[in-house]
Amino acid sequence: MGGLTWNYVLKRVGMWFLTIWLGTTIIFLIPRLAPGDPVAGVISRLTAQSGYIENSAQMIEAWRARFGLDQPWPVQYIRYVGNSLRFDLGYSLANFPSRVESMVAQALPWTVGLLLVATLISFVIGNTIGALMAWERTPGWIRNLLPTTLTFTSIPFFMLGILLIYVFAFGLRWFPASGSVGRGLTAGLNWPYIASIIHHAILPATAIVIASMGFWALGMRGMMITTAGEDYMILAQAKGLKPSRIFWLYGVRNSILPQVTALTLSLGGIVGGAVLVEYIFAYPGVGYLLYQGIVTSDYTLIQGIVFMLVFTTATFVLILDLLYPLIDPRITYERG
Amino acid sequence: MTVQMERRQAAQSVTANGRAVTLEVKNLKVYYATPTGDVRAVDDVSFHVYKGEILGLVGESGCGKTTTAMAILRMVQPPGRIVGGQVLLDGIDLVGLNESALRDVRWNTLALIPQGAMNSLNPVMRIHTQIAEAIQTHEGRQPKDKLKQRILDLLSMVGLPSRIYDMYPHELSGGMKQRVCIAMAIALHPSLIIADEPTSALDVVVQRVVGQTLLDVKERMDVSMILIGHDMGLQAQLVDRIAVMYAGHMVEVAPVEAIFSEPLHPYTQLLIESIPSIKERKPLKLTEGITHDLRNPPPGCIFQERCPKVMDVCRRDRPPLRQLKPEHYVACHLYE
Ligand SMILES: Nc1ncnc2c1ncn2[C@@H]1O[C@H](COP(=O)(O)OP(=O)(O)O)[C@@H](O)[C@H]1O
Ligand code: SF4
Ligand SMILES: [Mg+2]
């Protein structure tokens, strides 16, 4: 029978844990593999930039305490992994005494909200377009229209973002050019606040959808063409089923399976992909934070964000892996 | 409905040799468009199927059997098209029907057991859903328990256990899948079932079981059947009459005993002689396959290039399919 088995769930959760552990290990190793003392390096760079650092002694102390750099490597390593798993990501170098986990916690909901929603919208629209492009019963005018909508996809994302801001923010003044929510609103579940969030999210979300739906459409089109040649499509037609039923329950239903796998990967890359979007639209998410971290050489911030990136990616993959057997009854059989 | 009534009335009137006829194919032509010209896959083919009989349709691979079957269902896939002819099912010409009238005929009156039965079931749909959708598409929504009982009855009629009711196709063996297809084909009590090489992908033992199932079903439901296949042994066991095709043409149609005891057409004779026999090892006489290009058939007899008895007239005139004895039709200049 299709569906989840304990064996499958345990394997997937094991993979999730392994991914996070490996990611943490790499994050731990990289600064240590770099030649020289990372702390001294950062501090001297900061000193060179600004000439004087507030609380620098306190900062170095906190840094050393955070990593226990006087301890042997194995001890450092175990403490680092332990701290990371408790989401203790230490102090920001550039914004001391802000803590990294609270900076990330403020930014993460914006990123996940914007990119998750936009990616899902793009997935639905793109796949529908692709499926219709491949379906031989699609009316001619729709079939001619669909490829034109996809030409936008070939515009570089950077230019697309600037174009949208130029036309809809500065030209028509329909949407704000930057930020995630208007000033002076009470945060919470009230309509003006939510409306403002949506208002701010429309332009960046549109940019993401336009830029990425072509990817889904092309993949779906290819899969639908493959599926159309399957024997079960012939039997479905011979059974006299309604074309709409054949389209959705035979064509799309079977073609979507590899697309969902691709969605897993793309959701995994969500935070990484957020850097450009959030930079262009000055959207205060994790991507924007990462950009700031890089610009200010904020080592701990970068490490913390990379850890969160690994964590969210692994978690998305886990969730989709657990959902996958529900849409493909063959999967538990094939992989145990 | 009017189509149904017309069908009933017409059914009384169509006869040949004094017997009621379910299907009459007249001068059917199906061509596939290719860059270098039309492939004449079915060229001026005529035959009929009596009520309650199994007609075997044989001939080597590529001679146009599947194309004939698909043309009867009006499901010739592009780049193929029906160029001319009539397909009279219970007196109604399917070639002239519109899309929705066709959907009404499909499965109600005309069912298919497809060539690739291994892959003919939708992999993501449970067995009972696939049978139920055939029933409900044509008969409307049914009470749940009544529908379930009907599906269980169908499964037991083809010798399948009730536990497969809830299963997915990948959980069944090839022979079981094939019998699910047979159960589905008889669900609406059609006039005609076309089985396209229903046993070709199965091992020998399972072939016999599936063959026997077909025979049982035919006897019990008094349905007419076209059984496509190149296993002459299986044909001998199951069918009433045999129609022999070569390169898109019908070359001989006769009762099964006559085909084996006194084959008239030189091609049929080769076909019979090359049946592997257990007692004596004969060299296989049929090894070449169709020798000419179906885009460009030679003038005169279609079989001239391989015929051991070819004459001058054979290269000039095409022999028509004529009734030589009662129920024995042949297209060859030898018998003029
Ligand atoms: N899509 C197609 N395009 C061109 N030729 C085709 C196509 N499909 C089938 N044919 C040709 O039509 C002929 C009959 O094919 P088919 O009906 O499948 O034969 P059979 O079922 O007897 O093996 C073959 O010679 C094949 O090459
Ligand atoms: S018509 Fe001539 S070539 Fe054709 S089968 Fe008969 S004898 Fe052979
Ligand atoms: Mg075939």
Side-chain angles (χ1 to χ4, degrees), chain B residues 171-187:
Chain B
E171 298 170 90
L172 307 184
S173 69
M176 289 169 112
K177 278 189 243 187
Q178 189 56 284
R179 280 185 281 168
V180 168
C181 286
I182 297 172
M184 209 178 320
I186 58 176

Side-chain angles (χ1 to χ4, degrees), chain B residues 32-34 39 41 59-68 77-79 115 196-197 294:
Chain B
Y32 290 97
T34 73
V39 170
E60 58 207 315
S61 182
C63 72
K65 304 182 298 292
T66 298
T67 304
T68 305
Q77 306 294 317
Q115 180 158 17
D196 191 355
E197 311 209 16
L294 287 180

Side-chain angles (χ1 to χ4, degrees), chain A residues 1 238-239 245 249-250 254, chain B residues 106 122 130 133 138 171:
Chain A
M1 296 286 294
K239 278 158 85 175
R245 188 177 177 94
L249 294 186
Y250 282 73
N254 280 289
Chain B
R106 287 186 188 140
N122 188 344
Q130 306 199 35
E133 70 176 357
H138 295 282
E171 298 170 90

Side-chain angles (χ1 to χ4, degrees), chain A residues 62 66-67 83 87-93 96-103 300-301 304:
Chain A
R66 166 75 174 80
F67 289 104
N83 285 339
F87 295 111
D88 174 358
L89 303 177
Y91 294 100
S92 159
L93 275 182
F96 190 81
S98 292
R99 293 197 60 87
V100 170
E101 62 269 16
S102 67
M103 291 169 78
T300 41
L301 182 61

Side-chain angles (χ1 to χ4, degrees), chain B residues 173 202 237 239 272 322 329:
Chain B
S173 69
L202 308 173
Q237 204 183 24
V239 310
I272 300 296
R322 294 184 309 121
Y329 300 78

Side-chain angles (χ1 to χ4, degrees), chain B residues 265-266 301 303-304 307 309-311 314 319 331-334:
Chain B
H265 197 280
C301 177
F303 191 54
Q304 57 183 276
C307 184
K309 299 174 183 166
V310 59
M311 307 169 290
C314 305
C332 175
H333 288 305
L334 287 173

